[in-house]
Amino acid sequence: MHTERDLTGRVAVVTGVGRRAGIGYAIARRLADRGAALYLTHWRPHDEEQPWGADDIDAIRRGLSAAPRVVDHSIDFADPAAPAEVVDAAIAEFGQVDILIANHARSGGDGTLFDIDAAMLDAHWAVDARSVLLLTRAFARQFRPDRGEVADRGRVIWMTSGQHLAPMRGEIAYGSAKSVLAGMTATVADELIDRGIVLNTVNPGPVDTGFLAPDTTDLSPEFVEQVHSAFPRGRAGRPDDPARLIEWLVSDAGRWVVGQVLDSEGGFRRSRF
């Protein structure tokens, strides 16, 4: 992992850090290693409903010991008041927030166009899109850019999916909510850059956060093998694969990349899937 601690003195809010097998944890580890203090969110009731189950939050904090300080917050982003609560709480703890990584998302409760209903759509919209926009607004309102060389030190990362690249059958509610973020990246980035905040959106592609593991999935072994074989390296993404890109984007080295939707998919060949 990167050893240069060039994020020392910065505070990062990373949402969706409830499992050591998740993308959020991989991101948090990389930021910790670069010296950032961490304010993490998770929502255990959601994880407990999933086939992979919930994780040990104490173990997550121990795994992030490279950070100068780690604070975690259990919160449900389905609550419209949650985004402002998170930013306010982070400010109360650290006095500032420099980086926002909106990694959380709702799993399950989805289907085809003919399966979905208003409740499914609303549930995904509330967590996967609305809360991200409100988090970004709350972050931007509190952000006070430094002057001089690091006047653009503010960073926001959104997470989308591959709905802009190919069909996502059976994921209408999730895919449509994530489409909001991909579609609004350029607009919101343009509004934020004048405040010294750089926004980009990352599509991590298929990442095995446990859903392909034999003991946590109801997918057939043949389907799991099909997913892995659609990658030139013979495996689906791992959480640290998109985390490396996000680590770079939030560093000073990534300051000139603005308003982009970046696909981190390892050459995923959809035609074989």
Side-chain angles (χ1 to χ4, degrees):
M1 299 179 77
H2 203 296
T3 58
E4 182 184 356
R5 295 179 68 83
D6 56 355
L7 296 181
T8 298
R10 302 191 194 185
V11 177
V13 170
V14 187
T15 67
V17 187
R19 299 171 55 247
R20 284 166 288 177
I23 295 174
Y25 178 75
I27 296 167
R29 281 192 65 194
R30 285 192 165 268
L31 300 193
D33 282 356
R34 295 185 78 149
L38 301 174
Y39 191 93
L40 314 176
T41 76
H42 47 78
W43 183 235
R44 188 178 183 88
H46 171 269
D47 291 339
E48 289 175 340
E49 294 174 354
Q50 308 308 314
W52 45 80
D55 202 351
D56 182 343
I57 298 300
D58 289 336
I60 288 173
R61 286 194 294 262
R62 288 194 297 271
L64 300 171
S65 60
R69 188 177 173 209
V70 179
V71 176
D72 71 280
H73 187 162
S74 177
I75 195 161
D76 183 3
F77 279 112
D79 180 352
E85 179 182 330
V86 166
V87 173
D88 288 347
I91 296 300
E93 290 283 354
F94 293 100
Q96 66 183 51
V97 178
D98 307 287
I99 299 165
L100 169 63
I101 299 174
N103 169 71
H104 65 280
R106 176 182 173 85
S107 299
D110 209 338
T112 70
L113 182 66
F114 305 101
D115 298 325
I116 60 168
D117 56 25
M120 290 180 185
L121 290 169
D122 288 348
H124 278 275
W125 155 252
V127 174
D128 300 342
R130 183 187 70 190
S131 71
V132 175
L133 291 168
L134 293 177
L135 263 173
T136 304
R137 182 182 69 171
F139 169 82
R141 282 178 168 172
Q142 65 81 40
F143 185 76
R144 296 294 180 268
D146 291 346
R147 301 304 173 189
E149 285 299 312
V150 289
D152 56 355
R153 67 185 286 162
R155 296 289 188 276
V156 176
I157 301 292
W158 291 350
M159 305 293 284
T160 189
S161 193
Q163 76 291 324
H164 59 293
L165 299 174
M168 291 180 60
R169 292 172 64 100
E171 296 184 83
I172 295 294
Y174 172 80
S176 59
K178 286 294 187 178
S179 294
V180 171
L181 302 181
M184 291 305 297
T185 297
T187 297
V188 177
D190 191 61
E191 293 187 351
L192 294 181
I193 191 65
D194 290 337
R195 293 174 176 253
I197 300 169
V198 173
L199 163 70
N200 289 288
T201 295
V202 171
N203 160 36
V207 173
D208 186 5
T209 57
F211 80 98
L212 294 176
D215 57 341
T216 60
T217 183
D218 56 3
L219 303 174
S220 70
E222 293 77 17
F223 182 83
V224 171
E225 175 57 30
Q226 184 182 9
V227 174
H228 287 302
S229 64
F231 287 82
R233 291 171 177 81
R235 66 165 178 85
R238 296 169 183 157
D240 198 52
D241 292 323
R244 287 193 300 272
L245 171 61
I246 291 166
E247 173 193 19
W248 182 80
L249 287 170
V250 303
S251 74
D252 288 340
R255 68 197 303 175
W256 217 243
V257 180
V258 181
Q260 302 300 305
V261 178
L262 301 165
D263 301 311
S264 176
E265 294 199 329
F268 180 47
R269 292 167 172 154
R270 284 180 169 77
S271 60
R272 299 187 182 182
F273 184 68

